[in-house]
Amino acid sequence: MSATTTRIALRGDLLDFTGDPGWGETESAAVRFRPDHWLLIENGRIVGAQSESPDDTWERHDHRGRLILPGFIDTHVHMPQLDVIASYGTELLDWLNTYTFPAETAFADPERSRLGAKLFVEALLAHGTTAAVVFPTAHKVSADALFAAAQQHGMRVITGKVLQDRHSPDGLRDDVDQARADSLDLISRWHGVDRLAYAVTVRFAPSSSPEQLAMAGALCAADPTLYMQTHVAENRAEVAWVKELFPEARSYLDVYARAGLLHPRSVLAHGIWLDDADREALRTSRAQIAHSPSSNLFLGSGLFDWDAAIAAGAAVSLATDVGGGTSLSMVRTMADAYKVQAMAGQRLTAWKALHAATLGGATALGLAHEIGSFESGRLADVCVWDWAADPVALRRMDVARHLHERAFAWMTLADDRNLVQTWVAGALRHQRRGA
Ligand code: GUN
Ligand code: ZN
């Protein structure tokens, strides 16, 4: 061990996945539960796990009786929308026009962007999210501010300046040439730097002209290492509008396919109102749906058919979509996902939900070599949680008869108050007050 080696060991109940636990399986060989083990972290990377206490060359953190999980991956969330979270009384298109677009115009101001990005990144860490795919605003400064804040905290963040050149208010519209120049400049300065990656970020089909969609497709074609993020088929009025705006396209998703925006690094939020041909296009393109149950319930958008996506071979990750969603907590999001599936007569296991929020999200993003599990060599993005944070949860844990029951009760009852510590690449980045 060289003088510069940092060795950290975390003791607790280690829970992660070695593969996909499948749909509806409460017992799965893909679940790796190692109660009362030490997770070993050397120079920011996971190097193993063991039941015996490591020697005193390790900085030991004893969280006996607590749950230790890989940091959560939120595959769709909006940095500026902490200003509109929990806004009353609208569906998507009115919500955008009434609350969201006006709030986002303020991020033209570099100081507003800097403060918003700082608040946002720190809030992610305080909810146990260590990696995220994020929308800033149409302003280049908002993307710069978000990249800088994520870099400061050592986080894996994928983002890019929002493209929107029509059907948007003054102060939030760009144009094709400026948007291309801003995107290329941001790509040259941030893509592949530390743990950051650039996503060509089309807000949604209605707010980009066909010329802008073509420009976005050309950016993706020029560099296949870029991500792409957008919204698709979220709300019925939105879908009808897209049909009017793009009569030549077979479907909403097809607008993106025709522009060259569907590829393995595409992250499409929602996908509620898709058909079988769309799901087949997702399978063949290997693009993923970022399922956002909290947002879908709050904005009354609809019930996502997760089972149909799986049956079609389409990748699904899990996302908060704050501020359409009402919490940055991926735990609250998993609980909402269960309820959405219950409404559709389906059952989402704790394993499927936890997998989607960790290894599943990492795999869909092509990042399973870096994040999402406790496999040796992964960066140590790790969270320590209390199994229970109040007497009701404590009692429920006491009477749980097996591991899935316990994990499911945790996912249903826990929130950010259960979070004790957040580690990012082996550095302690958030600690509960008094912990
Ligand atoms: N569609 C276009 N923009 C947005 C947004 O900001 N939030 C959601 N939920 N859907 C969108
Ligand atoms: Zn969104």
Side-chain angles (χ1 to χ4, degrees):
M1 186 179 68
S2 88
T4 56
T5 305
T6 315
R7 292 179 135 185
I8 292 161
L10 305 179
R11 181 183 191 173
D13 299 335
L14 309 184
L15 176 58
D16 72 334
F17 295 87
T18 56
D20 190 325
W23 187 253
E25 306 287 329
T26 56
E27 282 186 40
S28 165
V31 179
R32 179 164 52 185
F33 186 59
R34 290 172 285 187
D36 198 11
H37 271 59
W38 292 87
L39 184 67
L40 306 179
I41 299 165
E42 209 167 74
N43 292 336
R45 287 189 186 273
I46 291 162
V47 292
Q50 61 187 43
S51 54
E52 327 72 68
S53 178
D55 64 34
D56 60 12
T57 63
W58 296 81
E59 178 189 312
R60 284 168 293 193
H61 296 255
D62 192 341
H63 292 293
R64 206 174 323 177
R66 288 181 166 145
L67 171 64
I68 301 184
L69 290 170
F72 288 132
I73 303 165
D74 184 344
T75 57
H76 179 78
V77 58
H78 297 254
M79 178 271 280
Q81 294 182 11
L82 295 183
D83 290 8
V84 297
I85 189 170
S87 290
Y88 173 75
T90 50
E91 285 201 2
L92 176 65
L93 299 177
D94 286 340
W95 177 82
L96 288 172
N97 289 319
T98 309
Y99 302 113
T100 308
F101 288 164
E104 291 192 10
T105 57
F107 285 73
D109 172 21
E111 188 59 7
R112 182 75 203 79
S113 279
R114 194 184 64 76
L115 290 173
K118 180 175 185 295
L119 174 73
F120 174 77
V121 162
E122 288 172 358
L124 286 183
L125 295 173
H127 286 79
T129 296
T130 51
V133 185
V134 188
F135 269 60
T137 66
H139 313 100
K140 185 181 175 185
V141 288
S142 75
D144 263 320
L146 181 55
F147 276 125
Q151 184 181 45
Q152 251 177 22
H153 292 80
M155 286 175 76
R156 161 54 78 177
V157 162
I158 299 168
T159 189
K161 179 211 119 52
V162 178
L163 303 171
Q164 58 183 119
D165 68 346
R166 65 171 176 170
H167 300 134
S168 310
D170 291 349
L172 202 60
R173 270 191 324 277
D174 55 15
D175 62 63
V176 175
D177 290 340
Q178 190 62 48
R180 182 193 296 106
D182 287 352
S183 302
L184 288 170
D185 180 53
L186 287 163
I187 291 164
S188 73
R189 289 188 295 110
W190 293 112
H191 184 54
V193 174
D194 296 335
R195 303 184 69 190
L196 308 172
Y198 196 85
V200 172
T201 301
V202 174
R203 177 157 215 138
F204 67 156
S207 58
S208 282
S209 63
E211 296 71 33
Q212 189 172 62
L213 293 175
M215 181 274 283
L219 288 177
C220 290
D223 183 352
T225 69
L226 294 174
Y227 287 87
M228 193 288 294
Q229 61 175 338
T230 191
H231 298 89
V232 71
E234 174 177 4
N235 167 287
R236 275 182 281 201
E238 171 211 24
V239 173
W241 192 22
V242 170
K243 205 175 160 91
E244 271 172 39
L245 292 169
F246 300 92
E248 70 287 0
R250 194 201 66 80
S251 67
Y252 190 159
L253 188 75
D254 191 44
V255 174
Y256 298 136
R258 294 164 72 101
L261 292 168
L262 275 198
H263 51 73
R265 292 160 85 93
S266 302
V267 183
L268 300 115
H270 310 300
I272 296 167
W273 306 103
L274 299 176
D275 62 17
D276 287 345
D278 291 326
R279 282 184 278 265
E280 174 63 10
L282 288 173
R283 186 186 69 78
T284 54
S285 65
R286 292 188 284 132
Q288 69 181 282
I289 292 294
H291 172 39
S292 309
S294 168
S295 171
N296 299 162
L297 294 168
F298 185 73
L299 294 177
S301 302
L303 304 175
F304 173 67
D305 194 342
W306 195 334
D307 187 38
I310 289 175
V316 178
S317 56
L318 200 56
T320 64
D321 191 33
V322 161
T326 52
S327 171
L328 285 176
S329 167
M330 290 294 284
V331 188
R332 304 299 336 116
T333 303
M334 288 186 266
D336 283 341
Y338 177 83
K339 293 168 192 170
V340 166
Q341 294 313 306
M343 285 299 293
Q346 292 286 340
R347 295 290 176 254
L348 178 68
T349 65
W351 304 144
K352 188 68 190 172
L354 279 163
H355 174 263
T358 55
L359 182 60
T363 304
L365 293 169
L367 294 174
H369 59 284
E370 176 190 314
I371 53 176
S373 76
F374 294 148
E375 240 13 92
S376 287
R378 304 297 176 271
L379 282 173
D381 289 357
V382 179
C383 290
V384 180
W385 301 86
D386 279 329
W387 276 106
D390 64 87
V392 172
L394 211 53
R395 172 66 189 153
R396 186 65 186 88
M397 290 300 156
D398 277 351
V399 296
R401 289 154 304 171
H402 53 78
L403 184 60
H404 183 266
E405 188 176 337
R406 206 160 175 231
F408 182 76
W410 180 80
M411 145 185 149
T412 306
L413 298 175
D415 59 30
D416 52 301
R417 287 168 290 193
N418 293 59
L419 182 62
V420 182
Q421 288 182 333
T422 302
W423 297 78
V424 181
L428 182 60
R429 294 288 183 178
H430 171 80
Q431 174 142 256
R432 189 169 64 199
R433 221 170 281 149

